[in-house]
Amino acid sequence: MPQQSLADTVSTLMERARADLAELVAFPSVADPRQFPVEECEKAARWVADAFAAEGLTDVRILDTPDGTQSVYAELPGPAGAPTVLLYSHYDVQPPLDEAAWASPAFELTERDGRWYGRGAADCKGNILMHLTALRALRAVDGSYPVSLKVIVEGSEEQGTGGLERYAEAHPELLAADAIVIGDAGNFTAGLPTVTTSLRGMTVVEVSVRTLAGNLHSGAFGGAAPDALQALVRALASLHDEQGALTVAGLAADQEWPGVQYPEEQFRADAGVLDGVRLVGTGSVADRLWARPAVTVLGIDAPPVIGATSSVQAAAKALVSLRVPPGVTTAAAQQALVTHLEAAVPFGARVSVERLSSGEAFSADTSGPAYEAMGAAMLEAFGKEMASSGEGGSIPLCSTLRTLYPEAEIILIGVEEPTTRIHAVNESVDPRELELMALTEALFLRNYAEARRG
């Protein structure tokens, strides 16, 4: 009987992938004990460790990282002289936000209109299943793996607390590899095989404003008493001009993206921008997303509308994130943001800015044999040439890996195409994308091993 092809094998493994993804999504593994029990992350870590151990990886460990979370490590030596490939993903997820807004339970994988819905279905538990399905297919068809394998699955990527980065810096030999496949990205559009070659860095600050010893009756004191919430809102509004372009001194916002472009109508559809609402900023959409800094107000501590009293607010607080493009250090960008906020708060209000998490931007070198092997794998799996795009988001570990292993090729791929709605309600994954990306990864491991032997 002829040997089954990798493509056919991956196809037959998709039912198992769905069942496994359902088990993994069921863990509400938000790495914030203020929101979900830490035991849920621990159970997810154990599930991941057991899953890779079942695929023959021998040295499987759960690592306690300095931020108090756990990462899963596994490895398996390959044939003599074979290159080492590190596969990365993360099992922690964003909180579900408004669970009532989900069309199905956030932590229950649900099939609807051909897609699989659930928190983490794409980001990033779907990418864990991409890795597992690729390895299962290779093992079924070839009986073994053509490379030396390392796997690292992080437990706090979404929180940005840096546990794995600090662990890797303290144990630099652990993640050393010839090629590193970061499974936390995706195709520019569904069906178009894409590598992400640029990531913005990120920094987060918390700005606190205080004007009064305590809240005051707005009738008795409003009109003269300085309102801390109003002062904060004015400071936040000063971060952008009337077009929504960034106005922070020292942060250039005129860079241009040289690669694939993002048509405005496609972006509006992908982002769900309402009819008649204009996009913010200037330049092309690709410029704004991948080449320029961007500030977002992530949250504000203020009285909710329901239950609000007639009061002048004595204090207010906001969490502000800044995305930093390649070519700009996070420290310099963070300082520019802090300086702007401190100067922009009106009324002589007392202001303090706490510097929280940060990570550097990343730009890939695409000239090596691993990228060539990935391009061939994508062409075979999708029947289309590999595209490259930027990504406005951040993966802080990438810059750490680049520093620790400057000779390693780092490739970002995954199942997170634009309609997956990662970080939003009703996150989902297209099972066809998962299937084709798992096939791509399996073919890549074969191709890369052969290229390095040659």
Side-chain angles (χ1 to χ4, degrees):
M1 180 177 294
Q3 187 180 46
Q4 191 175 38
S5 71
L6 271 179
D8 290 340
T9 303
V10 169
S11 180
T12 63
L13 287 167
M14 287 304 294
E15 277 301 313
R16 183 178 180 187
R18 186 191 187 285
D20 282 352
L21 186 58
E23 290 185 12
L24 195 49
V25 164
F27 300 115
S29 49
V30 177
D32 184 350
R34 298 170 300 178
Q35 300 182 65
F36 289 90
V38 68
E39 290 79 12
E40 295 299 329
C41 286
E42 293 170 349
K43 287 188 285 188
R46 173 48 56 192
W47 189 99
V48 171
D50 291 345
F52 282 102
E55 299 314 316
L57 279 77
T58 52
D59 184 4
V60 180
R61 299 177 240 165
I62 293 181
L63 311 175
D64 293 318
T65 56
D67 62 354
T69 64
Q70 295 180 326
S71 292
V72 178
Y73 175 81
E75 70 174 50
L76 181 68
T84 299
V85 176
L86 172 68
L87 306 179
Y88 165 89
S89 193
H90 63 87
Y91 68 80
D92 70 302
V93 297
Q94 285 283 330
L97 303 175
D98 181 4
E99 292 198 62
W102 284 73
S104 52
F107 296 108
E108 181 180 312
L109 194 70
T110 304
E111 185 165 355
R112 195 164 60 251
D113 300 322
R115 299 183 70 91
W116 299 344
Y117 286 81
R119 174 57 89 220
D123 183 20
C124 206
K125 293 173 178 179
N127 286 313
I128 296 173
L129 265 296
M130 175 186 73
H131 291 326
L132 283 168
T133 304
L135 296 183
R136 288 166 179 168
L138 279 171
R139 199 173 182 210
V141 175
D142 296 347
S144 62
Y145 305 123
V147 299
S148 292
L149 280 172
K150 292 183 177 182
V151 173
I152 187 73
V153 182
E154 189 174 2
S156 57
E157 193 274 343
E158 298 292 7
Q159 295 299 316
T161 46
L164 182 56
E165 292 98 288
R166 297 199 297 276
Y167 192 96
E169 289 165 349
H171 304 84
E173 76 291 341
L174 187 73
L175 304 183
D178 299 294
I180 301 172
V181 178
I182 304 291
D184 191 11
N187 294 333
F188 180 64
T189 59
L192 178 63
T194 309
V195 290
T196 298
T197 58
S198 173
L199 296 169
R200 290 189 293 196
M202 182 179 72
T203 184
V204 177
V205 302
E206 184 177 276
V207 54
S208 301
V209 176
R210 179 167 285 278
T211 57
L212 302 165
N215 285 4
L216 298 172
H217 188 285
S218 61
F221 294 94
D227 187 320
L229 180 56
Q230 183 187 44
L232 176 62
V233 169
R234 286 181 59 177
L236 297 176
S238 75
L239 293 166
H240 301 90
D241 64 18
E242 291 183 358
Q243 292 180 293
L246 199 63
T247 58
V248 177
L251 279 182
D254 58 358
Q255 303 93 321
E256 296 182 351
W257 175 254
V260 64
Q261 294 299 301
Y262 202 155
E264 181 171 332
E265 288 309 308
Q266 181 182 343
F267 175 79
R268 293 182 68 89
D270 290 342
V273 180
L274 300 180
D275 290 344
V277 178
R278 298 188 302 274
L279 302 188
V280 299
T282 60
S284 73
V285 171
D287 294 341
R288 285 174 261 182
L289 294 180
W290 305 330
R292 299 181 181 180
V295 167
T296 303
V297 179
L298 302 180
I300 297 179
D301 281 350
V305 171
I306 297 176
T309 62
S310 298
S311 300
V312 179
Q313 299 301 311
K317 185 183 296 184
L319 195 66
V320 181
S321 102
L322 169 63
R323 300 288 178 168
V324 184
V328 181
T329 67
T330 300
Q334 183 187 70
Q335 184 57 53
L337 176 63
V338 170
T339 299
H340 179 103
L341 288 169
E342 289 175 338
V345 174
F347 314 142
R350 295 182 183 179
V351 56
S352 64
V353 183
E354 182 180 358
R355 303 162 196 250
L356 302 178
S357 58
S358 65
E360 297 295 332
F362 170 80
S363 185
D365 178 358
T366 63
S367 61
Y371 271 88
E372 185 175 348
M374 183 61 73
M378 286 184 160
L379 179 60
E380 183 173 348
F382 285 81
K384 298 178 183 177
E385 295 284 350
M386 179 177 74
S388 63
S389 73
E391 168 58 57
S394 308
I395 305 175
L397 182 65
C398 284
S399 59
T400 300
L401 296 174
R402 167 58 54 78
T403 300
L404 291 175
Y405 318 115
E407 301 303 315
E409 293 185 72
I410 302 176
I411 307 176
L412 286 81
I413 62 170
V415 301
E416 302 166 26
E417 44 83 19
T419 59
T420 54
R421 294 182 58 80
I422 64 172
H423 294 206
V425 299
N426 295 317
E427 177 183 349
S428 69
V429 68
D430 181 342
R432 181 62 173 165
E433 288 288 291
L434 173 54
E435 179 179 346
L436 291 177
M437 289 308 302
L439 174 59
T440 293
E441 185 164 277
L443 291 167
F444 161 75
L445 293 173
R446 269 188 183 173
N447 293 347
Y448 184 55
E450 185 175 342
R452 291 296 299 267
R453 281 198 304 269

